[in-house]
Amino acid sequence: MTPLLAVDAPSLYFRAFHGVPASSALAPDGSPVNAVRGFLDMISTLVKTRKPGRLVCALDNDWRPQWRVALIESYKTHRLAPAGGEEVPDALVPQVELLLEVLAAVGIATYGVDDNEADDVLGTLAATAPGPVEVVSGDRDLFQLVDDARGVRLLYCGRGVAKLEDCDEAAVLAKYGVPASGYADFAALRGDPSDGLPGVAGVGEKTAARLIERYGSIDAIMAAVADPGSDFAPGVRTKLLAAADYLAVAPKVVRVATDVALPDVDPTLPAVPRDADRMLELAERWNLASPCRRLVDALAAAAS
C-alpha cells in the first residue's frame, strides 16, 4: 500500500507563519498570507519527496483538552490567551481559515476530533491506518509513535521541512537513549516547558534516559523506588518520591491517544485538484498562484 502522510497541521502552519516574512507574502489587499504560502510549499515538498498515495492534515479541534488539564492543571497554561483559548497571533487566525479553504479545493483531507489535539488524531492514524505511515511534525512528543513493526516513522521537522529527520526506532534510540515505546515516560520525567509539564525537579534528560533504559517505564521505576532493597541512589530516590503525585498522572498527559473516533474521510491524495475552479479563484484573490501551481505539479508528479 502507498504511504500515508499524516501531517501535524498546526505544527507546520505556526512554523510557516514565523518562518516566512509577512512582508514577502501579501494578498492584493495587503493581508499577509505568509502562513498559507509557507504551508502549501511544505506540503508540495513533502509530496514531491515522499510520494505518498494518501495524506491527512490533522487539526487541533481542542488544543488543550480538559481531560489533560484535569490531570495536570499547568498543561499549556502559559499559552492561554487573556480571553481564553489558545494565544494565536492575530495575523495567523484568518490565514488558517483560508488555508483550510485551499486544501478543501485541492481535495486534501483535513480533520480534527472534538476534545482531542492533532497529536491524538495522528496517534490514532499511526495505530490503526494501514501502513506505512509517515507522521510529519516538529513536536518531539510524537517520537513515541515510531514503530518499525507497523511501518510508522516520524519525519521530524524541528529544523524545517527542507531538513527533515527521518526517524525510525534506531534513530529515536540514538537521539534520546530510549526506545520509542519508552519516549512518553521519558518525556514525563524530563518535563517539557513548552507544554507546561514541570518534570521531576533535578532529573534532566540524561538521568531520565538512564532510568527508562534500566527500568523501562515510570511504573517500574516507582515500584523500584518503593522497594527498600533496590539500589537507588538516595538523591534520585528522594527526587522521585517528591514527584510521586506528578508521576502518577504525567504519562497519561504525555501519551497521545490511539483510539479516538476518526471521521470517515478518504485520505487518497488527488492527482489533480478536486475543485480546480475554486482553487484558481482563491489563488488569484489571495496572491497564491505560485504555491498553488507548485502543489498541483507535485500532485501530478506523485501520481505518475
Side-chain angles (χ1 to χ4, degrees):
M1 180 168 285
T2 56
L4 168 65
L5 205 61
V7 177
D8 183 350
S11 177
L12 265 63
Y13 64 61
F14 269 99
R15 181 171 296 278
F17 178 78
H18 292 292
V20 178
S23 59
S24 69
L26 298 173
D29 68 356
S31 302
V33 290
N34 52 325
V36 182
R37 277 180 165 267
F39 187 97
L40 293 176
D41 279 339
M42 289 179 187
I43 295 298
S44 297
T45 298
L46 289 164
V47 169
K48 190 181 302 181
T49 58
R50 308 308 300 188
K51 301 190 182 307
R54 299 166 291 154
L55 195 154
V56 171
C57 289
L59 305 174
D60 276 333
N61 273 27
D62 190 342
W63 71 283
R64 188 174 179 256
Q66 183 56 40
W67 59 269
R68 283 192 168 102
V69 178
L71 295 171
I72 296 181
E73 190 175 354
S74 64
Y75 183 65
K76 294 186 177 179
T77 301
H78 61 296
R79 287 158 57 184
L80 274 171
E86 184 177 15
E87 194 167 31
V88 179
D90 291 342
L92 177 56
V93 175
Q95 291 195 61
V96 175
E97 297 174 11
L98 172 59
L99 173 62
L100 295 180
E101 286 190 67
V102 175
L103 293 175
V106 174
I108 290 175
T110 63
Y111 55 77
V113 174
D114 289 349
D115 301 319
N116 288 276
E117 302 175 48
D119 287 7
D120 302 309
V121 173
L122 297 168
T124 301
L125 286 169
T128 63
V133 178
E134 296 187 334
V135 179
V136 184
S137 179
D139 185 345
R140 294 184 300 174
D141 284 343
L142 296 181
F143 280 109
Q144 66 185 278
L145 300 182
V146 174
D147 184 342
D148 288 357
R150 273 194 50 77
V152 179
R153 311 173 76 87
L154 176 64
L155 305 182
Y156 182 64
C157 55
R159 295 183 299 155
V161 168
K163 298 180 180 178
L164 280 179
E165 296 178 50
D166 182 354
C167 298
D168 58 6
E169 291 193 30
V172 179
L173 185 62
K175 192 175 183 70
Y176 291 106
V178 298
S181 59
Y183 185 87
D185 281 6
F186 160 76
L189 285 165
R190 176 198 62 199
D192 188 346
S194 68
D195 279 340
L197 299 175
V200 177
V203 172
E205 194 162 286
K206 290 183 179 179
T207 300
R210 285 198 297 269
L211 290 169
I212 294 298
E213 179 185 22
R214 180 170 182 182
Y215 295 100
S217 70
I218 285 176
D219 285 346
I221 291 168
M222 296 310 288
V225 166
D227 178 5
S230 65
D231 59 349
F232 253 101
V236 176
R237 186 192 300 268
T238 299
K239 292 169 183 174
L240 291 168
L241 285 172
D245 289 346
Y246 164 79
L247 291 174
V249 297
K252 300 172 189 173
V253 175
V254 178
R255 288 189 193 114
V256 302
T258 57
D259 59 354
V260 300
L262 301 179
D264 185 16
V265 176
D266 184 1
T268 302
L269 191 65
V272 296
R274 179 174 298 160
D275 188 340
D277 289 341
R278 177 59 175 159
M279 190 194 73
L280 182 59
E281 176 190 344
L282 291 168
E284 291 181 346
R285 178 180 175 187
W286 295 101
N287 191 23
L288 297 171
S290 294
C292 284
R293 187 179 307 111
R294 286 190 285 270
L295 180 54
V296 169
D297 290 346
L299 294 176
S304 62

